[in-house]
Amino acid sequence: MAKAKRSFYRSFKENLTGYMFVLPYFCFFGLFTLYPILQGFFMSLTERDIFGFDIRFVGLKNYAQMLTDQRFWTALKNTASFTLMDVPTNVVLAILLATLLNRHFRGKEISLSMVFFPRLLSISVIAFIWLWLYEPEWGLLNHYLSFLGVGPISWLRNPSVALRAVVVATVWWTVGNNVVLFMAGMQQIPTEVYEAAELDGSVGLHRFFRITLPLLRPTAQFVVIMQIIASFQIFGQVNIMTGGGPAGATRVLVQYIYETGFSYFEMGYAAALSYILFLLIMVVSVIQLVWLRER
Amino acid sequence: MRKKLLGAFTVAFAVLWFLPVVWMLITSLKYETDIFQLPPIWIPSRITLDHYKVVMERSHILRWFLNSVVITTCVTFLVLIVDSLAAFAFARLRFFGRDVLFSIVLASMMVPGQVTIVPLFALFSDLGLINTAQAVILPPLAGAFGVFLLRQFFLGIPLELEESAIIDGCSKLGVLRHVILPLSKPGLSALAIFTALGSWNNYLWPLIVLQDQTKMTLPVGLATLRGTYATSSYGVLMAAAVISSVPIFVMFVFMKKYFIQGIALTGGMK
């Protein structure tokens, strides 16, 4: 305490310089991060329409309403299924591709570019490309699958397939990002480790499972957590490709928040839904901290 | 031999992975009757720019494009300036409450933007900024990631380099400008790419605050075409998609190294 006080008075000028440097950032931080977090909680305790008329304090009513809101539970379930499908597919595929791409061969550079490039396309472009590939009658996918005796499948109109179809499009979009991260992780593994393993006769698959994978653990943990958090927030693909349909089969949490707040203008309820999403992401983040510290 | 085979397999897989992008381009150049044709025509015998004409004439695509460029440029520059000032203070200056403030900034990285859209929308309506570019430019400036990334970078720069500058009579701002920033180019370019990409592809927030067709950004504007053309003409949709992807493609070809390094760097730090 005494020390803090001393450091406060020690150099008024030094303090002032520090504050001047952080001031611009904290103006934005206060206005667009802190304030909305607090205001969001306040809004979640109210009922009001979008114009701001008639704001009534309703306590925890919005949260209670969720318990019996079938749409909310479906949205939660869809978000969970999406995450459970997207994360393992994405991570496993990324590790495999990174392993393949991390070797020396002709066309390495261009191969990495081709796998990575979709990541740079905007979500609307991704949605358009896949809408066309998934076209039931004229789309490429059904055409080529018909040779395997599969289909035709109404990818985006069949409630039991639609969410999986969105996952495929998402993996195509994002896997390149994770490939780059895993390749960076692999390049950090010292070559001596591999040389020593070679002397012990560890090659090929054995080497991959015994050396590469365990040493990739920090990267994998990071990618898994980021991918889970990103999956919780999935929105654009769904919004453009299916609009949450058919019959709510792809209505994920953020889509539901969007509909509630900006189609039905139930801002209080939308704010409460956002807080639940916030809570879920907090839980994942805390698990991450514990998990990473365990190492 | 086995090595060559694996290499060939990898290239083949990458080509297959990239094929949807090629298919988008091919479809956009085909005549309507060739688009709806099975088996699919991969190498059309005749091509047309009709779909591009339709997109240009009947939508505001060039306007959306311009809006996106302006917004992305503003966001990226402002983030770089605001974040390097703050990061410099957190890395190099001593002031009361510094570490507490930094912890708060760090903790806020756990709060994704989606969580605050409802109160943010209320805030921007109160400010009368709905349907303006400012509404899209301002919120990303509160992002914590850049402050964190740049602070890490600045901490890695040896102190001795600044000391001589200070002896020469350089102010703190001068130290940042003339010593720290020139030495932090990899960090700055990684943050620039990370920010620009996020801003260019941002969808949810602009969708909410930009309702006027002429104010929209590219992703939001494009999405409005889906309702108009999805069932009638994939050629038009693909043409719109190509127009919005070409600049990204060109930038990627020339700056591939920076993109990939940027992703690896921002990913490794976070």
Side-chain angles (χ1 to χ4, degrees):
Chain A
M1 186 62 205
K3 194 176 159 233
K5 227 174 199 168
R6 203 163 52 238
S7 76
F8 183 76
Y9 290 114
R10 185 186 49 204
S11 167
F12 177 72
K13 200 176 158 245
E14 211 176 330
N15 277 327
L16 194 69
T17 316
Y19 294 136
M20 290 312 280
F21 272 88
V22 294
L23 185 69
Y25 176 73
F26 274 94
C27 286
F28 297 117
F29 184 76
L31 210 51
F32 304 125
T33 299
L34 283 186
Y35 171 76
I37 290 176
L38 300 174
Q39 176 68 9
F41 184 66
F42 172 73
M43 285 176 83
S44 78
L45 304 178
T46 62
E47 265 182 357
R48 64 191 224 159
D49 57 5
I50 197 170
F51 306 107
F53 303 136
D54 203 30
I55 308 161
R56 285 187 304 133
F57 182 77
V58 291
L60 294 174
K61 186 188 155 211
N62 286 324
Y63 293 94
Q65 187 184 331
M66 274 178 225
L67 295 175
T68 54
D69 179 1
Q70 204 47 56
R71 287 183 158 207
F72 164 69
W73 290 106
T74 311
L76 200 61
K77 199 198 90 203
N78 289 339
T79 308
S81 326
F82 178 87
T83 308
L84 286 175
M85 289 189 278
D86 174 73
V87 177
T89 319
N90 217 318
V91 171
V92 171
L93 189 64
I95 292 181
L96 286 178
L97 284 172
T99 313
L100 285 173
L101 286 164
N102 207 26
R103 313 153 54 91
H104 292 288
F105 61 94
R106 267 178 73 110
K108 173 182 164 156
E109 287 286 306
I110 185 125
S111 297
L112 174 61
S113 299
M114 286 193 288
V115 170
F116 178 74
F117 182 67
R119 181 66 191 93
L120 299 177
L121 297 176
S122 104
I123 188 61
S124 324
V125 173
I126 304 292
F128 286 2
I129 289 177
W130 284 90
L131 276 170
W132 176 218
L133 292 175
Y134 283 145
E135 215 286 324
E137 222 174 320
W138 307 101
L140 276 191
L141 219 60
N142 272 349
H143 174 70
Y144 289 118
L145 283 176
S146 71
F147 293 123
L148 303 172
V150 181
I153 301 169
S154 303
W155 297 97
L156 298 170
R157 280 177 223 142
N158 180 343
S160 54
V161 184
L163 193 62
R164 277 178 252 183
V166 176
V167 171
V168 170
T170 308
V171 170
W172 183 73
W173 185 37
T174 55
V175 81
N177 200 69
N178 296 333
V179 169
V180 170
L181 293 179
F182 278 120
M183 284 178 74
M186 285 172 182
Q187 275 147 23
Q188 274 167 14
I189 300 175
T191 42
E192 295 87 48
V193 176
Y194 283 119
E195 282 159 10
E198 215 154 292
L199 288 179
D200 293 344
S202 180
V203 285
L205 282 181
H206 187 263
R207 188 180 73 168
F208 175 73
F209 281 106
R210 286 301 164 86
I211 298 177
T212 311
L213 266 192
L215 289 175
L216 266 186
R217 195 177 148 178
T219 314
Q221 280 177 324
F222 170 77
V223 172
V224 166
I225 297 283
M226 292 325 280
Q227 204 60 44
I228 292 176
I229 292 179
S231 299
F232 278 0
Q233 302 172 50
I234 181 222
F235 173 71
Q237 302 91 304
V238 164
N239 185 255
I240 302 171
M241 286 167 78
T242 65
T250 59
R251 185 185 287 116
V252 286
L253 264 181
V254 178
Q255 171 73 19
Y256 189 44
I257 294 172
Y258 174 73
E259 287 173 21
T260 308
F262 303 99
S263 298
Y264 301 110
F265 305 118
E266 294 173 27
M267 300 302 252
Y269 193 47
L273 288 168
S274 309
Y275 248 79
I276 294 300
L277 176 65
F278 180 24
L279 213 70
L280 287 173
I281 290 173
M282 279 298 257
V283 169
V284 176
S285 302
V286 170
I287 291 174
Q288 165 199 23
L289 286 179
V290 174
W291 191 27
L292 291 180
R293 198 158 294 167
E294 246 177 25
R295 275 191 287 137
Chain B
M1 182 61 202
R2 202 169 136 263
K3 242 183 163 171
K4 271 202 168 145
L5 235 102
L6 262 179
F9 172 78
T10 313
V11 175
F13 186 91
V15 169
L16 190 70
W17 198 259
F18 192 68
L19 227 45
V21 177
V22 179
W23 189 235
M24 158 180 86
L25 179 67
I26 295 174
T27 306
S28 74
L29 292 167
K30 278 192 209 171
Y31 279 95
E32 203 71 31
T33 46
D34 293 349
I35 291 176
F36 296 104
Q37 196 70 244
L38 287 177
I41 303 170
W42 280 95
I43 303 164
S45 52
R46 47 185 193 153
I47 59 169
T48 170
L49 290 175
D50 279 358
H51 302 306
Y52 289 86
K53 238 175 85 190
V54 171
V55 178
M56 297 282 202
E57 281 169 6
R58 301 208 198 136
S59 80
H60 298 280
I61 194 160
L62 292 181
R63 188 61 204 255
W64 300 333
F65 191 86
L66 194 71
N67 291 344
S68 270
V69 169
V70 170
I71 288 173
T72 301
T73 313
C74 288
V75 169
T76 309
F77 269 102
L78 290 171
V79 162
L80 286 178
I81 294 169
V82 170
D83 287 5
S84 33
L85 286 173
F88 177 69
F90 284 128
R92 283 291 194 267
L93 303 179
R94 285 195 291 176
F95 54 96
F96 185 72
R98 182 186 73 176
D99 297 342
V100 177
L101 285 179
F102 187 65
S103 319
I104 295 173
V105 172
L106 265 192
S108 82
M109 288 214 293
M110 285 195 247
V111 188
Q114 276 82 348
V115 169
T116 52
I117 47 165
V118 175
L120 258 191
F121 182 82
L123 176 66
F124 276 93
S125 343
D126 289 346
L127 295 173
L129 288 175
I130 297 299
N131 244 331
T132 62
Q134 293 96 295
V136 186
I137 293 170
L138 291 174
L141 303 184
F145 178 63
V147 176
F148 172 69
L149 179 83
L150 291 182
R151 176 179 171 268
Q152 293 294 97
F153 234 91
F154 295 171
L155 284 176
I157 297 170
L159 274 171
E160 296 83 53
L161 294 169
E162 298 156 48
E163 275 157 10
S164 58
I166 290 173
I167 292 166
D168 291 347
C170 225
S171 68
K172 291 289 181 197
L173 198 62
V175 171
L176 175 64
R177 268 187 57 187
H178 300 298
V179 182
I180 301 277
L181 289 185
L183 290 171
S184 306
K185 277 185 190 139
L188 291 170
S189 67
L191 178 61
I193 285 167
F194 178 86
T195 309
L197 210 58
S199 174
W200 183 263
N201 287 338
N202 196 2
Y203 179 69
L204 175 59
W205 177 246
L207 175 71
I208 292 168
V209 287
L210 303 175
Q211 290 137 359
D212 190 344
Q213 280 270 337
T214 58
K215 296 283 166 61
M216 287 177 176
T217 57
L218 203 49
V220 177
L222 278 187
T224 64
L225 296 179
R226 190 250 198 263
T228 325
Y229 296 103
T231 45
S232 56
S233 175
Y234 280 98
V236 175
L237 287 191
M238 294 303 117
V242 170
I243 294 174
S244 55
S245 310
V246 162
I248 306 282
F249 185 78
V250 172
M251 264 177 82
F252 180 64
V253 167
F254 286 106
M255 300 171 41
K256 198 179 72 202
K257 206 179 76 189
Y258 295 97
F259 273 99
I260 289 177
Q261 275 174 359
I263 298 287
L265 195 65
T266 47
M269 290 287 230
K270 211 169 172 180

